[in-house]
Amino acid sequence: MSLPQSSPRSLRNWLLLAAAVAGAGTFAWFQFGSQTAPVQPDALRRMGWDAPAVVRVEPAALGQLDVQIKSIGTVTPLNTVTVQSRVSGVLEKVVFEEGARVEQGALLAEIDPLPYRAQLEQAEGQLQQNRAKLENARADLKLYEQLWEQDSIARQQLSDQRALVQELLGTVRANQAQVDDARLQLSWTRITAPLSGRLGLRKVDQGNLVTGSEAEGLVSITQTQPIAVNFTVPEVDVPALRDARRGDAPLKVEVLDRGERRVLATGELTTLDNQIDTSTGTLRVRAQFANEDEALFPNQFVNVHLRLKTLESVVTIPGDAVQFGTERNYVYVVQDNKAYVRNVVLGAAADGRVAVTEGLEPGELVVLEGLDRLRDGKQVNIPDASGAAAGAARTPAAADAVRAGQDRPGAGERRSPPPAN
């Protein structure tokens, strides 16, 4: 009797089934035969999660804190003048230098004065002529008064002479006004600086005909000493600003460059606008600066720090150490190489530091970096100046934790409550 022969397809199916059974057996051996106890804590320990967290700390400091309002301002000249000619004529001389600093009353340019000198001489001649007529009329009046006393002339003749004297008096006064006007016109041919400041670019060249109606003028002068800075204060800070301004001492204002790294000038607050701008919700204010070194340039954008008051003997910490929760603000305080959550009550903030009115004592160490690896009561290591973790055990897990704390970008930026224990 002969055995039935299998087809190639059936043989392939049996081989696949045998391979699947062998794979399942191998997986079961590795899964259940190689371990006799859970390994989760050891695995976590090898990954560094159970190792002490590496943090950077800073002690809470006792000192003073300046309460400030920060804003962006524009340097604004107190006075800007466009120098114009008051009379018409040929620009005969230009004696100023563009961009130079001038003092009030300094000569800038001259207009041909000959036509105005001729007008002055003509007015003076007319005045002199009428003064001679007035003197003659007064002499005749004196004679007529004597003859009237002797009853030698009619009263009408005396009255006419008195009227003539009064008429000539008016004529002489009109002539004197013409002389004064001609002298004033002549003086205006010398164009002088109306205020002290810095000149701009020349707008009219020598030899051109200028008139008093030209709006563009000859040159502009901008006052730079002193100079003002206009900036805005948010509506919410206006009450504090008004309270601070009621004090005896003027409020100090500092102007810094765009990067807020260098103080350009220090001045005083001078003016508050009379109403809040409803479109921006801000109040416009002005500060004035001596600007002796001309560090402030007109229309320059600057950062403004307005100091309202100075808090004395307050506990301050870096603002980055504060964690903001939905119902509380807190920090991590390090005691006995462990981090603990401490609720705090915050006060004013300035220059990256914040005042703590309740919850901290001077000298207590608050965590500044490494906050994302902390929980209440967690063991911590504080690196020394070289970056090595002080007091950390030299184990692979501790080394992994150090590297994780140093390589993690943005450490200390978390702003959520700590996880529940």
Side-chain angles (χ1 to χ4, degrees), residues 18 21 103 175 268 341 355:
V21 172
E103 298 298 327
N175 293 148
E268 298 176 353
V341 173

Side-chain angles (χ1 to χ4, degrees), residues 107-345:
L107 179 64
L108 300 178
E110 286 188 5
I111 293 176
D112 183 12
L114 293 180
Y116 298 96
R117 286 178 182 170
Q119 293 179 9
L120 176 60
E121 291 178 358
Q122 182 180 4
E124 288 178 340
Q126 190 69 33
L127 174 62
Q128 186 176 359
Q129 181 181 2
N130 288 326
R131 278 179 175 174
K133 291 181 179 180
L134 177 60
E135 291 178 359
N136 186 47
R138 283 175 172 172
D140 291 344
L141 178 59
K142 187 176 182 180
L143 177 60
Y144 287 174
E145 288 176 346
Q146 292 177 355
L147 293 177
W148 166 256
E149 292 177 355
Q150 297 173 3
D151 199 18
S152 300
I153 61 173
R155 182 180 182 86
Q156 183 63 39
Q157 190 176 359
L158 176 62
S159 299
D160 291 344
Q161 190 62 31
R162 287 176 175 172
L164 179 60
V165 170
Q166 295 297 322
E167 180 182 352
L168 290 175
L169 279 173
T171 302
V172 168
R173 292 185 64 182
N175 293 148
Q176 183 64 55
Q178 292 174 355
V179 170
D180 294 340
D181 180 67
R183 186 175 288 114
L184 183 62
Q185 297 288 326
L186 179 60
S187 68
W188 284 345
T189 60
R190 290 175 53 87
I191 302 175
T192 59
L195 54 84
S196 299
R198 190 163 294 279
L199 293 166
L201 300 179
R202 185 175 67 249
K203 301 177 182 179
V204 180
D205 296 328
Q206 180 176 331
N208 283 278
L209 179 65
V210 296
T211 61
S213 59
E214 292 180 352
E216 189 176 17
L218 304 179
V219 68
S220 64
I221 302 178
T222 300
Q223 182 180 355
T224 58
Q225 296 175 345
I227 202 167
V229 173
N230 293 340
F231 59 100
T232 58
V233 173
E235 181 181 358
V236 295
D237 294 327
V238 172
L241 172 60
R242 296 185 63 191
D243 292 341
R245 199 164 184 262
R246 292 189 183 99
D248 297 333
L251 298 183
K252 183 179 178 182
V253 180
E254 289 183 344
V255 169
L256 295 86
D257 58 7
R258 284 179 176 262
E260 295 191 81
R261 292 184 294 269
R262 184 169 64 95
V263 177
L264 301 178
T266 301
E268 298 176 353
L269 185 69
T270 57
T271 308
L272 274 66
D273 201 357
N274 58 359
Q275 57 185 345
I276 294 174
D277 188 348
T278 56
S279 61
T280 61
T282 58
L283 177 69
R284 296 182 59 194
V285 297
R286 173 179 294 174
Q288 186 169 314
F289 303 82
N291 201 30
E292 295 177 353
D293 57 353
E294 295 194 14
L296 301 181
F297 200 79
N299 294 337
Q300 175 185 4
F301 288 100
V302 292
N303 290 292
V304 182
H305 291 182
L306 170 60
R307 183 182 301 174
L308 298 182
K309 59 182 178 180
T310 300
L311 302 177
E312 303 290 346
S313 300
V314 293
V315 178
T316 63
I317 59 174
D320 290 339
V322 181
Q323 305 295 291
F324 300 95
T326 56
E327 298 180 355
R328 59 173 179 168
N329 301 324
Y330 61 94
V331 296
Y332 279 103
V333 178
V334 175
Q335 294 178 351
D336 299 328
N337 290 331
K338 290 186 177 182
Y340 298 97
V341 173
R342 181 78 60 81
N343 295 338
V344 292
V345 178

Side-chain angles (χ1 to χ4, degrees), residues 332-403:
Y332 279 103
V333 178
V334 175
Q335 294 178 351
D336 299 328
N337 290 331
K338 290 186 177 182
Y340 298 97
V341 173
R342 181 78 60 81
N343 295 338
V344 292
V345 178
L346 304 179
D351 296 331
R353 299 189 69 84
V354 60
V356 179
T357 59
E358 295 181 14
L360 278 181
E361 296 294 331
E364 289 190 286
L365 298 179
V366 296
V367 178
L368 190 59
E369 292 182 3
L371 295 161
D372 54 344
R373 297 179 58 85
L374 294 183
R375 64 177 183 271
D376 194 23
K378 184 175 179 62
Q379 191 81 18
V380 297
N381 283 328
I382 303 174
D384 56 17
S386 64
R394 298 306 178 188
T395 62
D400 292 340
V402 172
R403 286 193 295 271

